[in-house]
Amino acid sequence: MMKRILVASCWMGLASYCMIAMTLGPSGILASRKALEASMSMRENLSHLAAMNSSFSAEWEALKTSPEAIALEARSLGYLADDEIAVRLPDAALTIVPPNAGKRIEYEPQSILSEADAKGMALIIALMTAIAGLGMRLLRRASPAIVQRDIRTHEALRT
């Protein structure tokens, strides 16, 4: 009977450790979900930066080759030719800038429980299971009807 209690408490400790580590541990479901969200925001930022890079590359190439593009850029900076007059117009629609453009997105792994905490909780559950099993064994021995049944069962097994 004592072996059963010990095996049951070890099994409960192992099973509880597996469940705790799988859900709340450093590489559990919740930590993996947070890492996936960070990865998605990094990928989104990377696609925005790639789009901005391609537009800047196209603008750079145009400034290297096209005199009209050079003149247009000079006008946007406030330079005018001798025969030009400045006229202010309302601002056009601003281009959409991604919220994290150029900002480094860092990922710091987060978990609800550390590995040591998960092991500690599993040990507590295993000890509680062992104590409950021993308590049930003592209660069982205290009941006279159960003792009589155990004696009859033991005698029946002998034959």
Side-chain angles (χ1 to χ4, degrees), residues 143-159:
S143 173
I146 293 176
V147 171
Q148 288 296 324
R149 187 184 72 197
D150 285 346
I151 292 172
R152 280 189 244 129
T153 305
H154 187 64
E155 288 174 0
L157 289 174
R158 284 188 179 178
T159 58

Side-chain angles (χ1 to χ4, degrees), residues 15-69:
S16 62
Y17 170 73
C18 290
M19 291 303 294
I20 290 169
M22 187 173 65
T23 55
L24 305 175
S27 47
I29 293 171
L30 297 177
S32 298
R33 186 176 296 154
K34 288 180 182 180
L36 182 62
E37 289 171 2
S39 173
M40 294 299 284
S41 68
M42 287 178 190
R43 286 184 182 147
E44 183 179 323
N45 191 29
L46 185 64
S47 67
H48 285 301
L49 289 174
M52 287 174 62
N53 187 32
S54 65
S55 70
F56 290 147
S57 294
E59 187 178 341
W60 176 251
E61 286 301 318
L63 286 173
K64 286 198 294 188
T65 58
S66 171
E68 293 87 19

